């Protein structure tokens, strides 16, 4: 039997891992050939050999590497990026069907989650800046002190901290930026509670 090249074996595994990360499926032999330049018969022999040695799992179609096994055994959820939420003056509710972000379920806990992109600067003192992605748990109720996505009586939504005025006995929306005023809507509808923020470090 021909001696197998470690370099070729590593090249095949690296390509399979990268392909799976982008496509969420194993590449075909033809795709591995195109991606690595290694001829199909050679790719086939290496896959069979690595399967025999327990380095990968290969059933003639699907390829499972150590990396693929690790990421697929985790409980991953796909969160929809549902739109932009104003961090400033409330704006008309928007239903934007965008992309998805995959996220470990263990970091979220139970509930129905979605992602909104922050637009504005009224929550900067809470660490939420324009362009950040806010992970929101869908709910129509929230404790005072929580940051919420709220819809007011004019069907406009905004991201603010839910507060309670002890003098007027009314809930209100508090911005985390001194240049903005508190919002006292006639009616207040909670759309969700902000749980996490994903941001790019500049």
């Amino acid at each position: 039997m021909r001696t197998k090249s470690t370099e070729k074996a590593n090249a095949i595994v690296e390509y399979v891992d990268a392909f799976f990360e982008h496509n969420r499926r194993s590449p075909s032999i033809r795709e591995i050939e195109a991606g690595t330049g290694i001829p199909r018969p050679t790719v086939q022999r290496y896959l069979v050999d690595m399967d025999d040695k327990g380095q990968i799992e290969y059933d003639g179609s699907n390829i499972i590497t150590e990396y693929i096994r690790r990421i697929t055994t985790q409980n991953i959820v796909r969160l929809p990026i549902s739109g932009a939420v104003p961090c400033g003056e409330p704006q008309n509710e928007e239903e934007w069907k965008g992309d998805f972000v995959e996220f470990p379920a263990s970091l979220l806990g139970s509930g129905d989650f979605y992602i909104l992109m922050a637009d504005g600067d009224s929550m900067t003192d809470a660490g939420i800046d324009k362009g950040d992605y806010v992970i929101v748990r869908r709910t129509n109720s929230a404790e005072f002190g929580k940051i919420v996505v709220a819809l007011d009586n004019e069907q406009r939504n905004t991201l603010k901290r839910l507060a309670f005025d002890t003098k007027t006995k009314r809930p209100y929306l508090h911005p985390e930026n001194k240049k903005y005023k508190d919002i006292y809507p006639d009616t207040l509808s909670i759309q969700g509670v902000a749980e996490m923020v994903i941001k790019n470090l500049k």
Side-chain angles (χ1 to χ4, degrees), residues 110-158:
S110 60
D112 181 17
F113 296 87
Y114 59 96
I115 293 178
L116 291 171
M117 184 176 68
D119 183 16
D121 63 354
S122 72
M123 297 301 289
T124 55
D125 290 345
I128 302 175
D129 300 304
K130 183 175 181 179
D132 290 348
Y133 289 106
V134 182
I135 299 179
V136 179
R137 177 170 54 84
R138 197 185 304 274
T139 180
N140 57 13
S141 63
E143 298 176 359
F144 293 116
K146 293 289 187 179
I147 295 175
V148 300
V149 178
L151 197 65
D152 68 13
N153 55 309
E154 296 180 7
Q155 297 299 294
R156 302 182 304 171
N157 64 4
T158 190

Side-chain angles (χ1 to χ4, degrees), residues 51-172:
D51 178 69
D52 290 341
K53 292 178 179 178
Q55 297 170 336
I56 65 169
E57 293 179 27
Y58 176 60
D59 61 5
S61 177
N62 294 311
I63 306 166
I64 301 177
T65 65
E66 181 181 352
Y67 169 76
I68 293 173
R69 184 183 301 109
R70 184 171 66 251
I71 65 173
T72 54
T73 53
Q74 296 176 345
N75 188 5
I76 302 295
V77 294
R78 300 183 77 213
L79 303 182
I81 301 176
S82 299
V85 60
C87 297
E89 294 301 322
Q91 296 177 3
N92 291 333
E93 186 178 15
E94 177 184 358
E95 273 299 317
W96 168 45
K97 302 302 181 182
D99 296 325
F100 289 82
V101 173
E102 294 185 342
F103 210 78
S106 59
L107 296 181
L108 296 175
S110 60
D112 181 17
F113 296 87
Y114 59 96
I115 293 178
L116 291 171
M117 184 176 68
D119 183 16
D121 63 354
S122 72
M123 297 301 289
T124 55
D125 290 345
I128 302 175
D129 300 304
K130 183 175 181 179
D132 290 348
Y133 289 106
V134 182
I135 299 179
V136 179
R137 177 170 54 84
R138 197 185 304 274
T139 180
N140 57 13
S141 63
E143 298 176 359
F144 293 116
K146 293 289 187 179
I147 295 175
V148 300
V149 178
L151 197 65
D152 68 13
N153 55 309
E154 296 180 7
Q155 297 299 294
R156 302 182 304 171
N157 64 4
T158 190
L159 183 70
K160 297 289 185 291
R161 194 177 298 279
L162 181 64
F164 186 76
D165 190 324
T166 56
K167 294 182 179 179
T168 63
K169 306 299 182 183
R170 290 176 56 194
Y172 65 97

